[in-house]
């Protein structure tokens, strides 16, 4: 009888260990798929959303990105049994460098051993969310750098628009030699600024330059009108 009981107990212990091992789980819901999230220069808050069965701790070495240690580190009870969905707020300083920057977040988990690590993070652009004109971004070894904003119009175009979504009030300054914005200032949120444009009858292209200022950031937007057809 003892010869039969010992194999049965051993089999039960192995099954329990296998079950525990299979119930360890951690995944990142946001940023989507655990990839890098994207925020704009004037954005100061986002979050990492974890799905986990284990205690965890999050850390970052970037001076411009921070995680509240009271939320970024947590001991969970009923390990290996309950799935927890946990948002971890991440705060950013306004990016006034004019270039994009990348901050990694390391997440350690798996019970008390802390022997499992996954990495996510954020790319913070060096400009606000300008949707029109689209950003022409320069890259250095696949990493985003600075951006150029230029709206190119046909010679006979008489109207167009600038579109941007910002966190604080904004102003738009510039010479406006042939382009007249309908608004020179406004509130936070999504803004569509209509542009009145004088047709270009000359044989040379011409450019008006405007500066969008918000959250202490100044971004140059050029409006270039093509030369008249010869």
């Amino acid at each position: 009888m003892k010869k039969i009981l010992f194999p049965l107990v051993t089999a039960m212990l192995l099954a329990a260990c296998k079950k525990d091992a299979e119930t360890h789980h951690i995944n990142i819901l946001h940023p989507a798929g655990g990839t890098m999230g994207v925020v704009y220069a004037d954005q100061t808050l986002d979050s990492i959303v974890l799905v986990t069965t284990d205690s965890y701790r999050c850390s970052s070495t970037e001076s411009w990105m921070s995680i509240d240690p009271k939320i970024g580190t947590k001991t969970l009870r009923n390990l290996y049994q309950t799935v927890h969905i946990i948002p971890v707020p991440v705060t950013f300083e306004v990016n006034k460098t004019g270039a994009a920057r990348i901050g990694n977040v390391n997440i350690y988990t798996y019970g008390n051993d802390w022997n499992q690590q996954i990495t996510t993070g954020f790319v913070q652009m060096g400009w606000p969310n300008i949707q029109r004109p689209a950003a022409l971004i320069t890259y250095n070894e696949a990493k985003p750098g600075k951006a150029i904003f230029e709206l190119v119009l046909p010679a006979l175009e008489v109207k167009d628009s600038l579109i941007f979504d910002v966190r604080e009030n904004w102003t738009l300054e510039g010479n406006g030699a042939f382009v007249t914005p309908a608004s020179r200032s406004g509130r936070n949120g999504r803004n569509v600024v209509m542009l009145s444009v004088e047709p270009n009858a000359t044989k040379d292209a011409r450019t008006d330059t405007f500066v969008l200022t918000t959250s202490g950031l100044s971004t140059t937007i050029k409006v270039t009108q093509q030369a008249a057809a010869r």
Side-chain angles (χ1 to χ4, degrees):
M1 185 67 179
K2 289 183 180 179
K3 292 182 179 180
I4 297 175
L5 180 60
F6 178 76
L8 285 175
V9 172
T10 303
M12 290 173 65
L13 289 173
L14 289 173
C17 291
K18 183 179 179 182
K19 183 177 179 181
D20 281 351
E22 289 177 346
T23 55
H24 284 292
H25 176 76
I26 185 167
N27 195 13
I28 300 175
L29 289 183
H30 179 79
T35 58
M36 302 293 282
V38 176
V39 296
Y40 288 93
D42 56 342
Q43 185 173 344
T44 58
L45 180 64
D46 208 305
S47 65
I48 296 169
V49 181
L50 303 176
V51 179
T52 182
T53 57
D54 295 304
S55 302
Y56 65 89
R57 61 188 183 200
C58 306
S59 64
S60 175
T61 59
E62 303 298 334
S63 61
W64 53 269
M65 183 172 69
S66 60
I67 300 171
D68 185 342
K70 294 180 180 179
I71 304 175
T73 299
K74 194 166 187 178
T75 302
L76 302 176
R77 297 180 179 179
N78 300 320
L79 299 182
Y80 328 131
Q81 298 178 21
T82 305
V83 175
H84 303 264
I85 299 177
I86 302 172
V88 179
V90 182
T91 58
F92 315 95
E93 295 178 358
V94 174
N95 185 0
K96 297 182 179 181
T97 68
R101 55 191 181 184
I102 298 175
N104 293 323
V105 176
N106 297 317
I107 303 169
Y108 301 90
T109 183
Y110 205 61
N112 294 323
D113 294 333
W114 304 110
N115 59 357
Q116 297 293 314
Q117 176 184 343
I118 56 177
T119 300
T120 184
F122 293 89
V123 179
Q124 188 183 36
M125 299 304 189
W127 51 89
N129 183 8
I130 300 173
Q131 300 166 5
R132 182 170 179 80
L136 177 61
I137 304 173
T138 60
Y139 285 83
N140 182 15
E141 297 181 351
K143 295 180 180 180
K146 296 185 177 182
I148 297 172
F149 295 91
E150 183 175 18
L151 182 63
V152 180
L153 306 177
L156 299 180
E157 188 65 69
V158 296
K159 63 179 180 179
D160 212 298
S161 63
L162 304 178
I163 303 174
F164 47 85
D165 193 342
V166 293
R167 305 282 167 159
E168 295 185 1
N169 294 348
W170 57 271
T171 59
L172 188 66
E173 300 178 348
N175 51 23
F178 64 94
V179 178
T180 303
S183 302
R184 290 281 187 169
S185 62
R187 301 175 67 99
N188 63 306
R190 188 175 187 271
N191 289 264
V192 179
V193 179
M194 299 304 300
L195 304 176
S196 297
V197 185
E198 298 176 6
N200 187 6
T202 72
K203 297 179 181 180
D204 298 314
R206 57 187 184 180
T207 299
D208 267 352
T209 301
F210 298 92
V211 176
L212 174 67
T213 301
T214 181
S215 297
L217 305 166
S218 294
T219 305
T220 299
I221 302 175
K222 294 183 178 181
V223 180
T224 297
Q225 192 177 41
Q226 297 172 336
R230 298 182 179 181

